[in-house]
PDB file of all heavy atoms in Angstrom:
ATOM      1  N   GLY N 120      36.883 144.952 -92.803  1.00 74.00           N
ATOM      2  CA  GLY N 120      37.752 144.773 -91.644  1.00 74.00           C
ATOM      3  C   GLY N 120      39.137 145.350 -91.850  1.00 74.00           C
ATOM      4  O   GLY N 120      39.544 145.664 -92.973  1.00 74.00           O
ATOM      5  N   PRO N 121      39.898 145.480 -90.756  1.00 73.00           N
ATOM      6  CA  PRO N 121      41.278 145.956 -90.866  1.00 73.00           C
ATOM      7  C   PRO N 121      42.129 144.955 -91.648  1.00 73.00           C
ATOM      8  O   PRO N 121      42.071 143.757 -91.415  1.00 73.00           O
ATOM      9  CB  PRO N 121      41.742 146.056 -89.407  1.00 73.00           C
ATOM     10  CG  PRO N 121      40.799 145.206 -88.631  1.00 73.00           C
ATOM     11  CD  PRO N 121      39.518 145.152 -89.399  1.00 73.00           C
ATOM     12  N   GLY N 122      42.877 145.441 -92.594  1.00 69.00           N
ATOM     13  CA  GLY N 122      43.729 144.572 -93.401  1.00 69.00           C
ATOM     14  C   GLY N 122      43.000 143.866 -94.521  1.00 69.00           C
ATOM     15  O   GLY N 122      43.603 143.091 -95.259  1.00 69.00           O
ATOM     16  N   GLU N 123      41.718 144.104 -94.676  1.00 70.00           N
ATOM     17  CA  GLU N 123      40.928 143.455 -95.739  1.00 70.00           C
ATOM     18  C   GLU N 123      40.959 144.334 -96.983  1.00 70.00           C
ATOM     19  O   GLU N 123      40.056 145.123 -97.229  1.00 70.00           O
ATOM     20  CB  GLU N 123      39.480 143.226 -95.280  1.00 70.00           C
ATOM     21  CG  GLU N 123      39.328 142.220 -94.182  1.00 70.00           C
ATOM     22  CD  GLU N 123      39.638 140.804 -94.637  1.00 70.00           C
ATOM     23  OE1 GLU N 123      39.478 140.481 -95.829  1.00 70.00           O
ATOM     24  OE2 GLU N 123      40.034 140.005 -93.785  1.00 70.00           O
ATOM     25  N   ILE N 124      42.025 144.224 -97.771  1.00 70.00           N
ATOM     26  CA  ILE N 124      42.166 145.069 -98.947  1.00 70.00           C
ATOM     27  C   ILE N 124      41.812 144.336-100.238  1.00 70.00           C
ATOM     28  O   ILE N 124      41.648 144.961-101.270  1.00 70.00           O
ATOM     29  CB  ILE N 124      43.602 145.637 -99.043  1.00 70.00           C
ATOM     30  CG1 ILE N 124      44.627 144.514 -99.101  1.00 70.00           C
ATOM     31  CG2 ILE N 124      43.871 146.581 -97.904  1.00 70.00           C
ATOM     32  CD1 ILE N 124      46.047 144.973 -99.327  1.00 70.00           C
ATOM     33  N   GLU N 125      41.686 143.031-100.166  1.00 76.00           N
ATOM     34  CA  GLU N 125      41.353 142.254-101.350  1.00 76.00           C
ATOM     35  C   GLU N 125      39.980 141.625-101.195  1.00 76.00           C
ATOM     36  O   GLU N 125      39.493 141.431-100.087  1.00 76.00           O
ATOM     37  CB  GLU N 125      42.394 141.147-101.576  1.00 76.00           C
ATOM     38  CG  GLU N 125      43.768 141.684-101.865  1.00 76.00           C
ATOM     39  CD  GLU N 125      44.779 140.576-102.080  1.00 76.00           C
ATOM     40  OE1 GLU N 125      44.391 139.394-102.080  1.00 76.00           O
ATOM     41  OE2 GLU N 125      45.953 140.892-102.252  1.00 76.00           O
ATOM     42  N   ARG N 126      39.381 141.290-102.303  1.00 82.00           N
ATOM     43  CA  ARG N 126      38.100 140.587-102.280  1.00 82.00           C
ATOM     44  C   ARG N 126      38.342 139.140-101.883  1.00 82.00           C
ATOM     45  O   ARG N 126      39.414 138.601-102.100  1.00 82.00           O
ATOM     46  CB  ARG N 126      37.440 140.649-103.647  1.00 82.00           C
ATOM     47  CG  ARG N 126      37.083 142.052-104.039  1.00 82.00           C
ATOM     48  CD  ARG N 126      36.491 142.075-105.415  1.00 82.00           C
ATOM     49  NE  ARG N 126      36.203 143.452-105.781  1.00 82.00           N
ATOM     50  CZ  ARG N 126      35.814 143.818-106.973  1.00 82.00           C
ATOM     51  NH1 ARG N 126      35.673 142.920-107.932  1.00 82.00           N
ATOM     52  NH2 ARG N 126      35.565 145.072-107.226  1.00 82.00           N
ATOM     53  N   ARG N 127      37.314 138.531-101.305  1.00 85.00           N
ATOM     54  CA  ARG N 127      37.412 137.119-100.917  1.00 85.00           C
ATOM     55  C   ARG N 127      36.341 136.316-101.638  1.00 85.00           C
ATOM     56  O   ARG N 127      35.247 136.809-101.896  1.00 85.00           O
ATOM     57  CB  ARG N 127      37.173 136.951 -99.416  1.00 85.00           C
ATOM     58  CG  ARG N 127      38.308 137.441 -98.556  1.00 85.00           C
ATOM     59  CD  ARG N 127      37.989 137.071 -97.125  1.00 85.00           C
ATOM     60  NE  ARG N 127      38.973 137.564 -96.195  1.00 85.00           N
ATOM     61  CZ  ARG N 127      39.587 136.804 -95.315  1.00 85.00           C
ATOM     62  NH1 ARG N 127      39.304 135.521 -95.232  1.00 85.00           N
ATOM     63  NH2 ARG N 127      40.456 137.312 -94.478  1.00 85.00           N
ATOM     64  N   LEU N 128      36.677 135.052-101.914  1.00 88.00           N
ATOM     65  CA  LEU N 128      35.679 134.134-102.427  1.00 88.00           C
ATOM     66  C   LEU N 128      34.730 133.789-101.288  1.00 88.00           C
ATOM     67  O   LEU N 128      35.152 133.646-100.142  1.00 88.00           O
ATOM     68  CB  LEU N 128      36.336 132.868-102.970  1.00 88.00           C
ATOM     69  CG  LEU N 128      37.228 133.066-104.195  1.00 88.00           C
ATOM     70  CD1 LEU N 128      37.908 131.758-104.562  1.00 88.00           C
ATOM     71  CD2 LEU N 128      36.432 133.586-105.361  1.00 88.00           C
ATOM     72  N   ALA N 129      33.452 133.679-101.605  1.00 91.00           N
ATOM     73  CA  ALA N 129      32.460 133.442-100.570  1.00 91.00           C
ATOM     74  C   ALA N 129      31.378 132.505-101.085  1.00 91.00           C
ATOM     75  O   ALA N 129      31.233 132.296-102.288  1.00 91.00           O
ATOM     76  CB  ALA N 129      31.834 134.771-100.146  1.00 91.00           C
TER      77      ALA N 129
END
Side-chain angles (χ1 to χ4, degrees):
E123 293 291 333
I124 58 175
E125 296 180 4
R126 296 177 182 172
R127 287 186 184 233
L128 295 175

